[in-house]
Amino acid sequence: MRRKWVRQLRDVLLLPPALLYVIIEEIFWNGATALLRQVSRTWPVKAVQKQLVALPAPVILPLFLVPEILSHIGGFWAAYLITRGEWAAAMLAGIVIKGSATLMVVWIYQSCERKLLSIRWFAMVHRQALRGRDWVLETIRPGRELAMRLLRRSRAGVVLRFAAIRQVLAMKLGFRRRG
């Protein structure tokens, strides 16, 4: 009984970072990657990217870390503003500061991944971050799967409800059902 309670408490504590990960990784990171892939085809960005890739790894690292740190500061600031009830300012901070800094981080990482990972301590921190992410996702996998099943079921219920309402309205308005 105690073991189950501890496991549930751990899952509850891991849910916020896991949800944050899913939002960032699945939505923002993938969206940023697709956006940057398109932007990277333009000649000015290609020219800057060519110069960036030519730099040595110790020079690229601070160029990567500064926007990475700014991204986290922007996220914390947005969270602080939310706790104060300043939703518009939080959205602005999230989009302008965290969003633009994250786009820069994604672009630099995509452009210079091999060089960044050639720095031993950076590669170790990167591996540990990926291990932590995988551990969190594996730990909450049963809860995520349940949530996804419930979401699919509720979405199907909404679609069915919408279809039923549409059919009733069509009948009341004198339209015949096609079929």
Side-chain angles (χ1 to χ4, degrees), residues 23-152:
I23 291 168
I24 291 171
E25 182 76 16
E26 299 300 324
I27 297 171
F28 196 76
W29 186 273
N30 291 341
T33 302
L35 174 67
L36 290 171
R37 203 174 293 124
Q38 294 298 321
V39 171
S40 292
R41 293 179 181 161
T42 62
W43 71 265
V45 176
K46 278 184 180 180
V48 173
Q49 190 171 22
K50 187 176 179 181
Q51 291 177 345
L52 178 67
V53 172
L55 294 172
V59 175
I60 295 170
L61 184 62
L63 294 175
F64 174 83
L65 291 177
V66 168
E68 176 73 15
I69 291 166
L70 286 175
S71 170
H72 291 295
I73 290 171
F76 287 126
W77 189 25
Y80 170 74
L81 291 170
I82 287 173
T83 63
R84 295 192 49 187
E86 299 177 27
W87 295 93
M91 291 296 293
L92 188 63
I95 292 168
V96 173
I97 298 170
K98 184 158 186 69
S100 59
T102 302
L103 283 173
M104 183 65 69
V105 166
V106 172
W107 180 66
I108 293 171
Y109 185 82
Q110 283 179 339
S111 302
C112 306
E113 179 179 8
R114 267 187 287 152
K115 284 193 177 180
L116 287 169
L117 293 176
S118 72
I119 299 170
R120 189 175 296 162
W121 71 264
F122 182 85
M124 189 223 18
V125 169
H126 186 265
R127 270 193 313 276
Q128 293 302 320
L130 292 179
R131 279 189 196 147
R133 177 201 66 187
D134 293 344
W135 178 79
V136 168
L137 289 176
E138 185 58 34
T139 301
I140 65 158
R141 184 173 42 83
R144 278 183 46 219
E145 289 172 354
L146 174 63
M148 292 307 291
R149 279 197 306 274
L150 291 173
L151 181 63
R152 280 192 289 274

